[in-house]
Amino acid sequence: MMYNLFFLTALSCDSLKRKDNFETSISFFLFFFLIIIILQSNIKNKSMPFSLEKVIRPNILALTPYRCARDDYDAGILLDANENAYGPSLANNVEGDLNRYPDPYHVRVKEQIVKLRQLQSVQQLFLGVGSDEVIDLLIRICCVPGKDKILITPPTYGMYSVCAQINDVEVVKSNLNVENGAFQLRTDDIAACVKANPEIKLIFLCSPGNPTGSCLTHDSILQVLESDYEGVVVVDEAYVDFVVGDNGSVANWVDKYPNLVVMQTLSKSFGLAGIRLGIAIANPDLIQILNNTKAPYNIGTPSAQIAYDALSAEGLAKMEEYKTRLLGQRDVLLKTLENFPVPGVGKVIGTNDANFLMVQIVNDQGEPCNVRADKVYKLLAETRDVVVRFRGKEYGCTGCLRITVGTEQENQTLINKLQEVLEETA
């Protein structure tokens, strides 16, 4: 850029010597016009301040990863990994070579995810034991215990703080704007927190949020990514498949922003919470570091096979069918709660972009009430066999119950039992 400015300055000065006033004016006009274009281009296409060497712990960068047997050879007579050649000790045959260690990277599964999420390559993907392993690994590779910090935006998913505490990493909080159930980033406050705490290596953003059920606006996420922050920005998209309309997935943004990590999971829309398979999408260099640091065989063969089947054309069709039914039931449940037949139900807050709703339980004065909400929660579970989640102690969630959208029958039972309990606690 500086070379271009010197060139244009010299050009303009030369025109002063050789041309009349009219031509000189034109030269100056062109000179400043070109400067503006160059500056705008530089800002628009500015190189990110992100550098792996600044963010990743030095000992992790220097790590020589464990090289497992399947890294070398995976076919032939395999006598290299001390496996049981006679097979698994099971009464019934199970699909897959369970006596063999699994593929360390499960490329077949990743290829399916690449197609689904329209990514560039499998090198942008990491598979973990649920998103929780991804969270823990990111903190371990980036944060020096007792020194570095992470930033979270309450109310948010609790495992960010739990993993940080386990790794002796301080948590900085920038509360969401919760006025009228907005649940949106306060980007100015995030910037202030980062400035006051240069040790922040990771910013965790949850969209749609848990427990808020609300998507963060893409504009607000962009403000964080395009700031001068030099750490990693993690966008947790566990519930993204339930989003209708704008502000859905930002997974494709990893091509442009090398400091962005997008987390997804098969636990929610795919209904596979039992196999514990989480996904990280990021630039290949960061993915390689995650692969270097993970346990050699973190995803077992049964989980990988089920994931592969779920990501097939038939599996995706089933997922879409169930999702459509779930979204329909979300609308029914929302309308019922907004027009509940007995007093005690307040507002359904947030933008309802997930597979659950956040509803206020109110007292006789119509105010959100933690005491009554907690009592309703316990009575539903202990006397009516209906289990929801009390979230009243979360920031901006006073008096709130988080209710997962169930089947048609489950939702109707919930409504009936909630009415009984509200009448009992009136």
Side-chain angles (χ1 to χ4, degrees):
M1 177 182 172
M2 290 302 299
Y3 173 81
N4 289 332
L5 291 179
F6 282 129
F7 175 76
L8 290 170
T9 302
L11 181 67
S12 180
C13 290
D14 184 63
S15 70
L16 282 173
K17 296 177 183 178
R18 297 185 291 105
K19 306 293 182 181
D20 58 27
N21 290 336
F22 175 76
E23 291 179 334
T24 299
S25 298
I26 294 296
S27 296
F28 269 111
F29 173 78
L30 291 172
F31 169 62
F32 288 110
F33 180 70
L34 288 170
I35 287 178
I36 291 172
I37 291 175
I38 292 171
L39 287 173
Q40 287 179 337
S41 175
N42 184 64
I43 292 171
K44 183 177 181 180
N45 301 301
K46 71 173 183 176
S47 57
M48 296 292 297
F50 177 73
S51 166
L52 278 178
E53 288 72 21
K54 292 182 180 179
V55 176
I56 306 300
R57 294 166 57 184
N59 62 305
I60 299 296
L61 287 172
L63 176 68
T64 300
Y66 176 78
R67 189 164 186 83
C68 59
R70 295 292 80 81
D71 282 326
D72 295 325
Y73 304 103
D74 60 4
I77 297 176
L78 300 174
L79 303 175
D80 58 343
N82 301 333
E83 300 153 331
N84 188 328
Y86 286 97
S89 300
L90 297 172
N92 300 307
N93 291 330
V94 177
E95 185 178 357
D97 296 326
L98 298 186
N99 62 317
R100 301 296 182 186
Y101 288 110
D103 178 348
Y105 307 110
H106 295 291
V107 175
R108 286 199 323 151
V109 176
K110 291 180 180 178
E111 288 172 344
Q112 299 281 59
I113 298 172
V114 167
K115 293 177 185 177
L116 175 64
R117 302 306 186 192
Q118 299 180 336
L119 305 174
Q120 297 295 323
S121 75
V122 296
Q123 277 71 44
Q124 293 176 307
L125 287 169
F126 172 83
L127 302 181
V129 184
S131 296
D132 295 340
E133 183 184 15
V134 178
I135 295 166
D136 182 62
L137 270 180
L138 286 169
I139 293 174
R140 285 163 54 197
I141 67 173
C142 293
C143 298
V144 176
K147 174 186 176 184
D148 292 326
K149 306 175 183 179
I150 68 168
L151 183 143
I152 64 172
T153 58
T156 192
Y157 183 44
M159 282 303 294
Y160 310 142
S161 295
V162 171
C163 289
Q165 186 173 357
I166 290 170
N167 288 285
D168 192 20
V169 171
E170 184 178 339
V171 177
V172 177
K173 298 179 181 180
S174 173
N175 293 334
L176 294 176
N177 171 17
V178 299
E179 187 175 355
N180 297 319
F183 297 122
Q184 292 298 315
L185 299 179
R186 296 184 299 136
T187 53
D188 289 345
D189 185 67
I190 291 176
C193 288
V194 169
K195 184 176 181 180
N197 299 273
E199 306 88 357
I200 292 175
K201 291 288 190 71
L202 293 155
I203 295 176
F204 285 95
L205 308 177
C206 198
S207 181
N210 178 12
T212 70
S214 300
C215 280
L216 303 175
T217 67
H218 281 185
D219 286 345
S220 66
I221 297 173
L222 279 173
Q223 286 183 51
V224 177
L225 285 169
E226 296 187 345
S227 68
D228 293 330
Y229 176 60
E230 296 185 355
V232 174
V233 178
V234 185
V235 179
D236 189 343
E237 293 186 344
Y239 300 93
V240 75
D241 288 326
F242 301 113
V243 177
V244 178
D246 298 334
N247 299 315
S249 180
V250 298
N252 289 324
W253 292 10
V254 300
D255 296 328
K256 182 177 181 181
Y257 300 101
N259 63 330
L260 172 63
V261 177
V262 175
M263 295 194 305
Q264 296 182 353
T265 180
L266 298 190
S267 296
K268 308 302 180 181
S269 62
F270 283 88
L272 291 173
I275 71 169
R276 308 304 303 126
L277 197 139
I279 301 162
I281 305 168
N283 81 77
D285 292 337
L286 186 50
I287 292 297
Q288 185 60 57
I289 292 174
L290 289 172
N291 281 325
N292 291 350
T293 313
K294 75 176 182 70
Y297 306 107
N298 60 329
I299 306 297
T301 298
S303 292
Q305 183 58 53
I306 293 170
Y308 182 81
D309 292 343
L311 292 161
S312 68
E314 295 82 1
L316 291 175
K318 181 64 71 175
M319 183 272 282
E320 290 293 339
E321 175 194 341
Y322 287 164
K323 183 177 75 172
T324 298
R325 292 173 62 182
L326 190 149
L327 293 178
Q329 281 301 299
R330 185 177 73 183
D331 292 340
V332 171
L333 186 58
L334 175 61
K335 291 176 183 177
T336 304
L337 290 170
E338 288 177 334
N339 300 279
F340 210 70
V342 299
V345 174
K347 295 179 181 178
V348 179
I349 60 176
T351 53
N352 310 310
D353 295 316
N355 67 335
F356 59 84
L357 301 174
M358 274 265 287
V359 61
Q360 296 173 335
I361 301 299
V362 298
N363 57 23
D364 293 340
Q365 290 74 44
E367 300 168 338
C369 178
N370 269 354
V371 174
R372 191 179 188 189
D374 187 49
K375 191 172 183 179
V376 168
Y377 155 67
K378 290 178 179 176
L379 282 172
L380 281 173
E382 296 171 8
T383 68
R384 266 69 170 192
D385 292 327
V386 176
V387 183
V388 296
R389 198 82 182 265
F390 173 64
R391 298 282 80 181
K393 295 181 180 180
E394 301 285 337
Y395 176 76
C397 301
T398 301
C400 283
L401 299 180
R402 192 192 70 190
I403 302 175
T404 303
V405 178
T407 65
E408 293 86 342
Q409 183 176 351
E410 288 173 335
N411 293 336
Q412 189 56 57
T413 301
L414 162 74
I415 295 303
N416 295 339
K417 301 302 181 183
L418 178 58
Q419 182 173 342
E420 292 175 7
V421 169
L422 286 173
E423 290 173 338
E424 186 176 326
T425 59

